[in-house]
């Protein structure tokens, strides 16, 4: 049975905040960090921004699809992507800003959650019944 997109409002708020953070982090990285980080750490910071940006856009698209055609698994994919962004991008932001390299142990778990979100999306799409 298809789910209702009952969690859409909090997810839209979350995606709006994530979008804002993408712009802030991107500008911060380009202007404030350009002379303070090593080229390697600056690239790591930009990787975090890029992954957060792509998944923010993916969540927006999935929320729009869910509003039109709610399917089981859509909200799970969104939750996995949010958690993955926090762990993946968040750990990279903290690692580059603090220099605590031990935070890098968290990053792969965030990446796995991002991948799991894409798998969940594929499952939701696969289970979609054709229109009559």
């Amino acid at each position: 049975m298809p789910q209702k997109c009952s969690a859409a409002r909090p997810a839209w708020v979350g995606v709006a905040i994530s979008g804002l953070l993408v712009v802030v982090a991107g500008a911060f990285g380009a202007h404030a960090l350009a002379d303070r980080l090593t080229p390697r750490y600056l690239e790591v910071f930009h990787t975090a921004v890029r992954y957060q940006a792509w998944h923010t856009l993916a969540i927006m698209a999935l929320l729009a699809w869910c509003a039109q055609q709610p399917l089981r698994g859509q909200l799970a994919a969104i939750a996995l992507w949010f958690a993955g962004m926090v762990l993946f991008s968040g750990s990279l932001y903290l690692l580059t800003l603090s220099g605590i390299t031990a935070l890098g142990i968290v990053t792969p778990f965030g990446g796995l959650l991002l991948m799991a979100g894409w798998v969940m999306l594929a499952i939701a799409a696969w289970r979609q019944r054709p229109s009559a």
Side-chain angles (χ1 to χ4, degrees):
M1 169 145 232
Q3 68 191 2
K4 291 185 179 180
C5 281
S6 58
R9 185 175 182 188
W12 276 111
V13 170
V15 83
I17 292 168
S18 182
L20 170 66
L21 292 175
V22 164
V23 175
V24 169
F28 185 66
H31 300 290
L33 298 179
D35 297 330
R36 295 184 182 175
L37 294 180
T38 65
R40 172 71 182 128
Y41 269 19
L42 193 57
E43 180 57 32
V44 168
F45 189 88
H46 288 306
T47 297
V49 173
R50 210 169 25 255
Y51 274 70
Q52 184 179 353
W54 281 113
H55 286 87
T56 298
L57 291 171
I59 292 169
M60 290 175 61
L62 192 46
L63 284 169
W65 180 28
C66 189
Q68 296 299 310
Q69 186 175 22
L71 300 172
R72 196 174 60 187
Q74 290 168 322
L75 295 179
I78 289 169
L80 288 165
W81 284 338
F82 270 126
M85 285 191 302
V86 168
L87 292 181
F88 182 85
S89 293
S91 67
L92 292 179
Y93 292 142
L94 290 173
L95 182 149
T96 56
L97 296 175
S98 71
I100 301 172
T101 56
L103 290 167
I105 194 80
V106 176
T107 309
F109 294 106
L112 287 172
L113 289 171
L114 294 173
M115 288 184 261
W118 288 106
V119 170
M120 184 59 65
L121 177 60
I123 292 168
W126 183 262
R127 288 182 175 169
Q128 179 181 356
R129 295 178 189 227
S131 300

